[in-house]
Amino acid sequence: MPVNLRGKSFLTLKDFSPKEIHFLLDLSKDLKSKSRAGIRGTLLEGKNVVLIFDKPSTRTRCAFEMGAAQEGAYVTFLSNSQMGKKESIEDTGEVLGRYYDGIEYRGFKQSLVEELAEHSGVPVWNGLTDDYHPTQILADLLTIREKIFKPFENIKVVLNWDYFETLLCSAQQPKTENPDRELRWKLEKLKSAAKIVIKKLKQLEISDREYQWKIEQLITQSNNVIKILK
C-alpha cells in the first residue's frame, strides 16, 4: 500500500508508523542524492513556507531554508513574531495558514506547536521544542542507515551529556495536575544510564572528576525532577 503524507504535520515521530518513517528516510536519501548531483527539485515550486524561530539556531534554520529553496519554495524567516504575546496562537495560526502552504516552528512548549497545527489548516513542522526535535532524529536515523548496515533494532546508540542537560532543563517545570509519566520514565532511564557510566569510569580508572561530577549531578537533578512530577 503506498504511503500518503500529504497535508500531515510533523510534530513528533510518535505520530508516524515505522512504514511511514522508512518512507521519509527513502525520500530524504533520494532528495539528498539529487542535490549532490546538482539536480534542482520542483516539489515545492510555487509554495510559500514560513520559518518561526523563538529559539536561535544555525543548522536547523539553514537546513529548513535551503531544503525548501532547493525544491522551489519561497521562504520567510520570522524571529520576532507576536505569537503568544500580543496575538494568540490560534489567531496567528489561522492568519499564517492563509498566507503560507507550510509552517515550521522552533521554540519552547510542545503545546504551542501542537496548537499552531490545530488552527493553521496547513502542515506544521516541529524544528525543536522542549520535548521533541523530530527532524533532528530523522536526520540522525538517515546517517545511521548510511553508515551502519544493520536493522535499526540491532543498533545501540549512546546519548551524550548535552542530551542529558537538554532533557533535564525541559523537565524542570512546576507541578501540573497531570504529571508526565513518560518524562518520569525517561529520567529514570537516564539516571540508570548515568550510574552505569560512573561504574565504567571507575572500572577503567578514569580520573576525569569533572565528567563524573556532571553525571552525579544528573542523578541528583533527576531525583529532584521526579519528586516534582510525583
Side-chain angles (χ1 to χ4, degrees):
M1 179 181 249
V3 175
N4 183 9
L5 300 180
R6 182 178 294 274
K8 186 170 183 176
S9 291
F10 191 28
L11 307 180
T12 168
L13 277 177
K14 294 192 295 184
D15 295 335
F16 294 81
S17 68
K19 182 179 179 180
E20 289 172 331
I21 292 173
H22 279 286
F23 170 80
L24 289 172
L25 292 173
D26 291 338
L27 177 62
S28 300
K29 180 182 177 181
D30 181 57
L31 295 177
K32 183 177 179 180
S33 298
K34 288 180 178 177
S35 176
R36 286 184 170 178
I39 301 173
R40 196 166 187 83
T42 58
L43 292 176
L44 298 178
E45 194 170 47
K47 302 294 185 181
N48 296 296
V49 173
V50 61
L51 311 180
I52 305 174
F53 278 67
D54 286 344
K55 277 184 180 179
S57 166
T58 300
R59 285 172 293 275
T60 302
R61 175 186 174 178
C62 292
F64 269 101
E65 197 160 332
M66 289 307 300
Q70 286 173 358
E71 290 299 323
Y74 176 80
V75 178
T76 298
F77 177 72
L78 199 58
S79 62
N80 57 348
S81 79
Q82 294 299 318
M83 182 173 63
K85 301 168 189 174
K86 293 183 179 180
E87 300 172 4
S88 69
I89 300 169
E90 179 179 352
D91 182 62
T92 302
E94 290 178 354
V95 171
L96 293 180
R98 298 190 193 108
Y99 294 159
Y100 296 95
D101 301 289
I103 302 169
E104 180 272 349
Y105 174 77
R106 178 185 176 93
F108 299 91
K109 292 183 178 180
Q110 176 69 16
S111 58
L112 194 154
V113 73
E114 290 174 354
E115 190 172 350
L116 195 60
E118 181 183 352
H119 297 290
S120 65
V122 298
V124 174
W125 310 294
N126 182 355
L128 174 79
T129 63
D130 288 341
D131 295 336
Y132 301 106
H133 197 353
T135 55
Q136 177 65 62
I137 296 300
L138 196 64
D140 291 340
L141 291 174
L142 180 61
T143 301
I144 290 172
R145 182 197 267 190
E146 290 175 337
K147 303 296 182 181
I148 304 175
F149 304 103
K150 293 182 182 179
F152 285 134
E153 58 269 22
N154 295 335
I155 295 174
K156 294 181 179 179
V157 178
V158 176
L159 302 178
N160 65 18
W161 173 255
D162 287 339
Y163 178 84
F164 291 154
E165 289 189 310
T166 300
L167 182 57
L168 285 170
C169 286
S170 69
Q172 295 183 29
Q173 302 169 354
K175 185 176 180 180
T176 63
E177 294 181 1
N178 298 305
D180 190 338
R181 293 181 180 178
E182 181 184 0
L183 180 56
R184 194 187 309 169
W185 176 82
K186 288 180 181 178
L187 288 169
E188 290 282 11
K189 288 292 185 180
L190 287 173
K191 188 171 66 172
S192 299
K195 288 181 178 179
I196 293 172
V197 172
I198 290 177
K199 184 177 180 181
K200 291 291 183 181
L201 287 172
K202 290 179 178 178
Q203 289 176 348
L204 296 172
E205 297 182 352
I206 295 176
S207 58
D208 188 341
R209 293 184 179 180
E210 182 180 359
Y211 184 71
Q212 184 166 327
W213 175 81
K214 281 186 175 182
I215 298 179
E216 288 173 345
Q217 284 292 104
L218 164 67
I219 295 175
T220 301
Q221 291 175 35
S222 295
N223 283 330
N224 292 338
V225 175
I226 290 170
K227 288 178 182 177
I228 292 174
L229 292 172
K230 286 182 177 178

